[in-house]
Amino acid sequence: VDDEGSGAIASQVYEGLLAYHPFARPYQLIPALAADMPEISEDKLTYTFTLRDDITFSDDPCFPDGEGRAVTADDFLYAFKRFSHPNTRARGWWLFDGKIEGLNAWRAGLAEDIDAARAGGEDIATDALWGLERDVSGLEVIDERTFRFHLTEPYPQFLWTLAMNYASVYPHEAVAYYGDEFRNNPVGTGPFKVTEFNPVYRVVYERNENF
């Protein structure tokens, strides 16, 4: 999602830790899925977020019995790592590039190992997120409701980037269930869910009753 039209759609379906206040000018940040603004260390390198305890993903066939489950810190870890994975080729990679401790090395190491595996004849084509389980020192799950970032250096704009669609959360179940069609079957926590999506014609929403 890096164009205006897609962004307008995504903002109705997806949410992140923070959001832009809809009316305040000059612009202000407010918590979205975070319970409050983060705790920031004195050296401006560590940002600790506590998640709200009342958030669930929208109901969707990707879940058992079609019922959306609670959002946890692991979901943010998954979404941020998938966003940064070399195979995803996210055009918003600049958002995290060079900003988060260990993330660039993690990404580069994966790219090298994927190339080496393919050169050695190993068939990993069916696993687009090969190596995703590898740890990133700068992305830390403290517990079910606490997520921490470790930055490489102070970055005053960091919180503003977390309010962008790139930093939204989504469930791993949807990615696994829909595969290549995940982009056309969004599953989020926002006020609406998509019931019909034709990228050249129209999008049909219905209310997300879990919102």
Side-chain angles (χ1 to χ4, degrees):
V1 177
D2 68 347
D3 62 87
E4 184 177 356
S6 298
I9 296 169
S11 63
Q12 304 302 314
V13 178
Y14 292 115
E15 296 177 295
L17 292 166
L18 302 176
Y20 296 104
H21 192 293
F23 309 118
R25 299 295 184 273
Y27 294 107
Q28 295 179 17
L29 290 173
I30 56 175
L33 301 187
D36 205 341
M37 297 301 287
E39 177 184 331
I40 305 174
S41 62
E42 288 189 15
D43 60 8
K44 311 298 184 186
L45 296 180
T46 302
Y47 291 69
T48 303
F49 284 89
T50 299
L51 305 183
R52 291 170 54 182
D53 60 3
D54 59 346
I55 302 297
T56 61
F57 291 112
S58 62
D59 294 344
D60 190 87
C62 71
F63 298 116
D65 300 321
E67 296 182 1
R69 61 165 177 80
V71 176
T72 70
D74 281 319
D75 293 310
F76 280 94
L77 178 64
Y78 173 83
F80 293 146
K81 289 170 72 174
R82 179 179 177 273
F83 173 75
S84 306
H85 195 285
N87 283 351
T88 307
R89 300 177 184 174
R91 285 180 285 188
W93 163 242
W94 58 267
L95 193 76
F96 286 167
D97 188 10
K99 311 293 194 308
I100 296 175
E101 179 185 289
L103 188 58
N104 280 65
W106 178 87
R107 176 182 167 98
L110 278 181
E112 291 178 3
D113 290 347
I114 289 170
D115 288 344
R118 287 173 176 160
E122 185 176 343
D123 183 13
I124 61 174
T126 57
D127 186 2
L129 299 178
W130 187 86
L132 191 76
E133 71 284 352
R134 297 182 183 181
D135 290 336
V136 179
S137 59
L139 300 174
E140 183 181 6
V141 172
I142 306 300
D143 56 41
E144 194 171 76
R145 292 184 53 220
T146 310
F147 190 85
R148 181 172 292 158
F149 295 94
H150 300 275
L151 304 189
T152 56
E153 61 183 7
Y155 180 44
Q157 292 82 20
F158 182 64
L159 291 182
W160 296 92
T161 65
L162 295 181
M164 299 177 70
N165 282 321
Y166 294 129
S168 299
V169 72
Y170 46 83
H172 65 86
E173 292 94 334
V175 177
Y177 185 84
Y178 290 109
D180 291 341
E181 285 299 305
F182 170 58
R183 60 176 294 172
N184 299 326
N185 294 273
V187 181
T189 63
F192 294 97
K193 52 187 178 181
V194 173
T195 58
E196 180 185 342
F197 179 63
N198 184 321
V200 297
Y201 178 45
R202 69 174 182 174
V203 179
V204 179
Y205 300 105
E206 70 177 38
R207 178 185 176 188
N208 174 12
E209 296 180 351
N210 294 346
F211 180 71

